[in-house]
Amino acid sequence: MPYKNTALKFLLFSLLWVSTTAFAHSPDFSSIIISKTENGQIVLQITSSLTAFQQEVNYVNGEGAYKSPEEFQNLVLQLFKSRFSFVLNNNDTIKFKNSKVLLGHETKIIAEINSLPKEVNHIYLKNTLFKDLHNSQSVAIFLLVGFPEEKFTLQRDNQHELNIILEDENWIVPTAKSDYISLKYLPYLITLIIGGLLLFISKK
């Protein structure tokens, strides 16, 4: 029995190490984590491979746009400011401070969040930091009380956006108003079409 437990732990550790290593090497995948530190500070962390950041910075600014790590970090922060949005309850745009880039094989953007509303019923998050990379995907995770516990994938299919509302203690994707309007008037449209057909037939 001890041998089996040891083997199981080793297998789980190996799988975790392989997945982490693969993530660090893949420019297509990134993660967005919003959590609270031990001292109560709410922090945003965006993680991807250094290759992903380099490819996007070069694509936007051209080859040779930076000559030092500091210049590269500044360009990454410019992308972050222009390509990342976090809005709560439709009108509360979240502000970030003390943003910094931690360079490494797995590179991170760390930013502090000034404050959050006491109650949250709508979440809009958009991350187009890596939108120019093929098959770019970001996994968003909220580790905060009152926020959804599941993870969400932002990708090209959803314009790299997360848009969800809280209804009956469940987080759901809101129905577009245009869809609602079209369904509302669908019976009238059907009646109009049938009436037109009958009028056409009667004339013939």
Side-chain angles (χ1 to χ4, degrees):
M1 185 67 69
Y3 170 77
K4 290 183 178 180
N5 290 336
T6 302
L8 180 59
K9 289 180 180 179
F10 177 77
L11 178 61
L12 291 174
F13 174 80
S14 299
L15 289 173
L16 179 61
W17 182 85
V18 169
S19 61
T20 303
T21 303
F23 175 83
H25 280 82
S26 175
D28 295 335
F29 295 94
S30 58
S31 67
I32 304 164
I33 300 177
I34 299 176
S35 61
K36 183 180 288 188
T37 62
E38 292 181 356
N39 62 6
Q41 177 63 56
I42 301 172
V43 176
L44 164 72
Q45 176 178 295
I46 303 175
T47 305
S48 190
S49 67
L50 178 59
T51 303
F53 284 98
Q54 289 174 326
Q55 289 183 2
E56 195 63 41
V57 166
N58 290 337
Y59 182 85
V60 174
N61 300 280
E63 296 285 345
Y66 58 90
K67 294 180 173 59
S68 67
E70 292 75 19
E71 291 180 354
F72 175 73
Q73 289 168 313
N74 288 333
L75 291 175
V76 170
L77 289 178
Q78 288 178 22
L79 281 177
F80 168 64
K81 290 177 182 178
S82 63
R83 292 189 172 191
F84 190 89
S85 303
F86 186 33
V87 182
L88 298 177
N89 301 337
N90 288 317
N91 55 10
D92 195 350
T93 301
I94 302 304
K95 305 296 183 182
F96 302 98
K97 63 179 182 179
N98 298 330
S99 303
K100 57 186 177 182
V101 178
L102 304 181
L103 296 177
H105 196 57
E106 187 181 77
T107 295
K108 304 175 185 290
I109 297 175
I110 306 291
E112 297 177 10
I113 294 176
N114 288 330
S115 62
L116 293 177
K118 292 183 179 179
E119 294 185 3
V120 176
N121 51 46
H122 179 266
I123 297 173
Y124 173 80
L125 190 152
K126 184 171 185 176
N127 177 35
T128 56
L129 266 168
F130 311 103
K131 68 174 184 177
D132 301 303
L133 302 183
H134 177 69
N135 198 32
S136 173
Q137 298 182 39
S138 296
V139 175
I141 301 172
F142 301 95
L143 302 178
L144 297 171
V145 176
F147 282 73
E149 297 179 355
E150 62 265 38
K151 63 181 181 180
F152 302 90
T153 301
L154 283 63
Q155 54 192 349
R156 186 168 297 175
D157 291 344
N158 54 25
Q159 291 77 50
H160 304 282
E161 295 179 347
L162 171 65
N163 184 27
I164 52 177
I165 60 174
L166 184 64
E167 283 192 2
D168 299 325
E169 299 184 355
N170 293 312
W171 290 96
I172 62 172
V173 177
T175 303
K177 290 183 179 180
S178 58
D179 292 341
Y180 172 75
I181 293 174
S182 63
L183 289 175
K184 178 181 178 180
Y185 291 103
L186 185 59
Y188 301 100
L189 182 60
I190 293 174
T191 303
L192 184 63
I193 293 173
I194 293 175
L197 287 173
L198 292 176
L199 182 61
F200 176 77
I201 294 172
S202 64
K203 286 185 176 182
K204 292 189 71 174

